[in-house]
Amino acid sequence: GKTTLARTLLGRDIGEVRDEAHVTETAEVQVLVESPAGDRLMLWDTPGFGDSLRLAKRLAQAGNPIGWFLSEVWDRWRDRAFWSSQRALRNVLDEADVVLYLVNASEAPEDAGYLDAELQVLALIGKPVIALLNQLGPAGASADHEAQQAERWAARLRAARGVHAVLPLDAFTRCWVQEGTLWQAVAGVLPASKQPAFARLREAWRTRQL
């Protein structure tokens, strides 16, 4: 879903999409929008968390979780799930101002066994997180069903440390209203020093859509 969402936001094909785990193995950067003043908003498509349960346990046992993580090197071929986690987290630590955390909202929050571990890892990283609800409900679901599912996820995610907003944003369907809401949420968590540049980028995006 992450690469599909990146394609939707960018309006062009990037990366590779297949119905299997760990398709994206390295973080890939794309220019989402550029302002006339030369500001650039970069969108990173990262690997998935992989073995998030195991990673969260390791981090919880470390006296300095981030220091331990940065000193570890996992074998790509012998421990691919852990290596995927390492690639994703290292990119977030090095590059991200804001983390877009995509969840499969077609399942109930209580059925997502990975959720607590991934939220724990994101909290340790300390970057602001915006959770995006993808695939709300089964195909053909009513608007009421989707709204109820969205509220269940929002209630679950709002309690997580570091999650600043929970927004519906379908990776497969272009919706400028949802994207505009995402821009507003990102603006709300950026430091003051980056607000002027982001305002110029936001206006450049709006002009492009019009």
Side-chain angles (χ1 to χ4, degrees):
K2 296 180 298 300
T3 298
T4 302
L5 176 63
R7 289 180 171 193
T8 297
L9 293 174
L10 292 163
R12 62 181 184 273
D13 284 351
I14 62 150
E16 185 176 358
V17 175
R18 295 198 308 272
D19 187 16
E20 60 183 84
H22 311 310
V23 175
T24 300
E25 292 196 333
T26 58
E28 299 176 358
V29 64
Q30 306 287 338
V31 179
L32 181 58
V33 66
E34 187 169 3
S35 78
D39 313 294
R40 304 174 91 197
L41 180 63
M42 314 305 292
L43 179 67
W44 288 87
D45 181 20
T46 72
F49 266 113
D51 193 345
S52 54
L53 290 168
R54 189 171 158 209
L55 179 61
K57 288 179 182 178
R58 291 282 187 92
L59 288 170
Q61 292 168 359
N64 176 8
I66 300 304
W68 169 84
F69 169 78
L70 291 174
S71 68
E72 286 295 301
V73 178
W74 291 301
D75 190 320
R76 174 180 181 179
W77 307 114
R78 293 174 59 190
D79 206 340
R80 193 176 176 196
F82 233 28
W83 186 85
S84 177
S85 301
Q86 183 190 35
R87 295 295 89 199
L89 263 64
R90 189 174 291 275
N91 176 260
V92 169
L93 285 166
D94 292 345
E95 303 290 348
D97 293 306
V98 181
V99 179
L100 304 181
Y101 175 57
L102 189 67
V103 299
N104 175 14
S106 65
E107 61 181 341
E110 57 270 22
D111 294 335
Y114 58 86
L115 189 61
D116 287 340
E118 293 187 358
L119 291 174
Q120 181 183 348
V121 171
L122 289 171
L124 287 169
I125 291 173
K127 300 289 181 82
V129 175
I130 296 173
L132 303 179
L133 306 180
N134 183 37
Q135 299 180 14
L136 272 169
S142 68
D144 285 345
H145 175 86
E146 290 190 0
Q148 291 171 6
Q149 189 77 334
E151 183 50 42
R152 290 173 72 188
W153 271 99
R156 176 67 180 83
L157 292 167
R158 284 193 202 107
R161 181 160 56 99
V163 176
H164 291 258
V166 183
L167 309 174
L169 204 160
D170 195 306
F172 299 93
T173 306
R174 189 76 192 271
C175 177
W176 295 347
V177 175
Q178 289 184 347
E179 290 180 31
T181 303
L182 172 59
W183 279 83
Q184 184 176 350
V186 170
V189 297
L190 288 175
S193 61
K194 298 199 173 184
Q195 291 290 345
F198 191 75
R200 292 189 293 269
L201 287 162
R202 193 173 176 181
E203 180 59 26
W205 174 84
R206 191 185 73 84
T207 300
R208 186 172 71 187
Q209 304 316 311
L210 292 174

